[in-house]
């Protein structure tokens, strides 16, 4: 605070204002407001905010939206169509930069494509083939542009230019957005960007980083929409079995997970099979740690065999009373029982400690 309450200055630069503002908010202060107050004595003062957008209502993105929202337009080296911007996938920007293909009004954008058949024999992605096949698809002629062509068309001498997209911006308020794919750096090539997306798309924390860092966009959590047809599809693909039964023989693991609340433990038993599918076996609430131990001792018959299993792996939510007396850690450290592993959340995914 002392640094932002000192002498007046004509030029201020705040790097990563989302992070800075979050720290000052803990003291019920605004770093941006304090910094701007230092420029009041200078009628021609210049104020710069530079950083990676994090959330829609955070300073970086809000500052960008308030300004003239300049984007970097480029020209396809293989056609004479109108200029466009480079995006990983235009669907990510349409909330703020719409485009009407009929009237051709709005923000025309290219996209990254790759060989959808670039997979290994086991069906998983072949990262080398994805990287080698990735291209930028021109939105005009549909030509597939390689990394060398991308770097050339991003150069000013080849027509690349900043264009404002917000005519209602206050006079003199310029704002720019530049996704990582414009960079000539080896870590942001078309191919490496495609690989980063595929590796992060199913991991919430990693996907947020990809959207923030690579796409220069704020991350927005969207609720999943489950339709009646989705539920019917799950029912149709599920075998018929009763609660307490393991429906198939090729079981790889029987797990137990526990959600800890203030006065109740919600437990769930799930069977995991060799083909990576799973089945809910049993579930319920209990009121005490002792009752939870009894649940962990329950035996479940495997398919039509005579084999019976108890849960082999137990994960217990460590989000409540983890360190206090009679909390999760104390319970799991109890040598007299094979209680389980405390489990928290890290980067959007469960992590066992």
């Amino acid at each position: 605070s002392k640094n932002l309450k000192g002498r007046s200055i004509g030029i201020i630069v705040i790097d990563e204002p989302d992070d800075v503002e979050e720290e000052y908010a803990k003291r019920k202060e605004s770093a941006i407001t304090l910094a701007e107050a230092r420029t009041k004595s200078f009628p021609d003062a210049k104020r710069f905010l530079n950083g990676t957008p994090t959330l829609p209502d955070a300073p970086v993105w809000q500052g960008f939206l308030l300004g003239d929202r300049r984007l970097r337009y480029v020209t396809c080296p293989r056609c004479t169509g109108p200029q466009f911007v480079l995006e990983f996938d235009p669907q990510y920007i349409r909330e703020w930069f719409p485009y009407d293909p009929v009237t051709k009004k709005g923000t025309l954008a290219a996209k990254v494509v790759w060989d959808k058949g670039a997979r290994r024999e086991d069906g998983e992605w072949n990262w080398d083939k994805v990287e080698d096949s990735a291209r930028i698809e021109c939105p005009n002629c549909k030509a597939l542009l390689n990394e060398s062509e991308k770097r050339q068309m991003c150069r000013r001498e080849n027509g690349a230019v900043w264009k404002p997209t917000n005519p209602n911006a206050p006079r003199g308020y310029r704002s720019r957005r530049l996704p990582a794919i414009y960079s000539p750096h080896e870590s942001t090539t078309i191919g490496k960007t495609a690989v980063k997306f595929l590796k992060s798309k199913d991991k919430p924390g990693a996907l947020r980083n990809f959207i923030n860092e690579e796409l220069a966009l704020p991350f927005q959590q969207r609720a999943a929409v489950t339709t009646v047809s989705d539920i019917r599809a799950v029912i149709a693909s599920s075998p018929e079995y009763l609660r307490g039964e393991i429906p198939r023989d090729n079981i790889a693991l029987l797990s137990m997970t526990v959600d800890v609340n203030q006065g109740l433990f919600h437990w769930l038993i799930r069977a995991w099979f060799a083909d990576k599918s799973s089945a809910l076996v049993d579930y319920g609430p209990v009121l005490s740690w002792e009752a939870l131990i009894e649940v962990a001792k329950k035996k479940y018959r495997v398919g039509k065999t005579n084999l019976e299993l108890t849960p082999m792996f137990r994960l217990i939510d460590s989000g409540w009373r983890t360190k206090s007396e009679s909390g999760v850690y104390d319970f799991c450290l109890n040598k007299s029982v094979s209680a389980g592993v405390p489990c928290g959340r890290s980067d959007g995914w469960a992590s066992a400690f």
Side-chain angles (χ1 to χ4, degrees):
S1 296
K2 291 182 179 180
N3 293 336
L4 291 179
K5 294 178 180 178
R7 63 188 179 87
S8 297
I9 194 168
I11 299 177
I12 60 170
V13 179
I14 300 180
D15 190 41
E16 298 299 346
D18 287 5
D19 297 337
V20 175
E21 195 74 351
E22 183 178 357
E23 284 300 313
Y24 273 75
K26 296 176 183 177
R27 301 193 290 267
K28 298 183 178 181
E29 294 180 314
S30 168
I32 296 174
T33 301
L34 289 171
E36 289 180 343
R38 299 299 94 212
T39 67
K40 290 188 295 186
S41 301
F42 297 84
D44 58 347
K46 290 181 171 57
R47 309 171 186 89
F48 297 91
L49 301 182
N50 174 61
T52 301
T54 55
L55 298 171
D57 58 352
V60 169
W61 192 248
Q62 286 300 307
F64 171 74
L65 294 181
L66 182 61
D68 59 7
R69 306 179 198 173
R70 295 180 180 233
L71 301 176
R72 189 74 168 172
Y73 279 77
V74 299
T75 302
C76 176
R78 301 197 201 177
C79 73
T80 57
Q83 285 193 309
F84 52 87
V85 298
L86 301 182
E87 297 291 340
F88 175 75
D89 188 335
Q91 69 166 331
Y92 285 101
I93 67 167
R94 289 310 178 207
E95 178 177 345
W96 304 283
F97 302 100
Y99 178 74
D100 188 336
V102 177
T103 63
K104 299 188 182 303
K105 292 184 178 180
T107 304
L108 183 64
K111 66 179 180 180
V112 174
V113 297
W114 59 90
D115 180 9
K116 296 302 187 289
R119 296 179 180 272
R120 307 191 307 244
E121 291 183 359
D122 61 3
E124 298 296 324
W125 288 106
N126 183 314
W127 303 124
D128 290 339
K129 289 183 179 180
V130 169
E131 182 174 347
D132 293 343
S133 66
R135 297 289 186 271
I136 287 178
E137 183 182 273
C138 171
N140 300 308
C141 67
K142 305 303 179 184
L144 300 181
L145 309 174
N146 60 33
E147 182 65 25
S148 176
E149 291 173 305
K150 182 207 82 172
R151 295 182 182 184
Q152 288 299 315
M153 65 183 178
C154 287
R155 299 173 67 91
R156 183 170 57 183
E157 56 265 35
N158 292 328
V161 62
W162 288 101
K163 293 183 181 181
T165 63
N166 179 21
N168 300 317
R171 183 169 51 247
Y173 197 136
R174 294 188 178 184
S175 58
R176 292 178 171 87
R177 170 181 167 266
L178 193 68
I181 200 167
Y182 280 86
S183 171
H185 197 278
E186 287 298 325
S187 66
T188 59
T189 62
I190 307 169
K192 283 186 169 58
T193 301
V195 170
K196 287 178 187 176
F197 169 73
L198 291 174
K199 287 184 175 181
S200 66
K201 68 183 183 70
D202 296 322
K203 303 175 182 177
L207 180 60
R208 172 175 175 166
N209 290 340
F210 179 83
I211 291 174
N212 290 163
E213 301 285 345
E214 304 298 326
L215 307 190
L217 290 170
F219 178 75
Q220 299 187 88
Q221 287 187 323
R222 303 184 186 277
V225 178
T226 302
T227 64
V228 173
S229 59
D230 293 330
I231 297 174
R232 288 174 177 168
V234 171
I235 294 174
S237 62
S238 299
E240 291 188 10
Y241 66 102
L242 299 176
R243 177 178 170 181
E245 294 181 348
I246 299 175
R248 291 158 52 192
D249 298 348
N250 61 334
I251 185 171
L253 176 71
L254 188 65
S255 68
M256 176 179 176
T257 54
V258 183
D259 183 26
V260 182
N261 294 313
Q262 290 191 13
L264 202 62
F265 303 88
H266 294 277
W267 56 272
L268 184 149
I269 308 293
R270 180 169 288 275
W272 301 87
F273 302 102
D275 60 1
K276 300 181 181 180
S277 64
S278 68
L280 176 63
V281 176
D282 203 0
Y283 59 91
V286 293
L287 296 174
S288 67
W289 293 113
E290 292 74 17
L292 197 61
I293 293 174
E294 293 305 312
V295 171
K297 295 178 180 179
K298 292 179 69 173
K299 295 183 178 181
Y300 298 91
R301 189 159 64 94
V302 178
K304 298 179 180 180
T305 71
N306 292 323
L307 177 64
E308 291 185 330
L309 297 177
T310 56
M312 310 168 201
F313 191 59
R314 304 167 189 133
L315 290 174
I316 303 178
D317 171 31
S318 63
W320 180 76
R321 291 182 65 186
T322 56
K323 297 180 181 179
S324 64
E325 185 178 355
S326 299
V328 174
Y329 288 168
D330 287 345
F331 176 71
C332 292
L333 290 172
N334 187 342
K335 301 296 184 180
S336 64
V337 294
S338 178
V341 178
C343 175
R345 292 185 66 82
S346 173
D347 195 28
W349 289 84
S351 298
F353 300 104

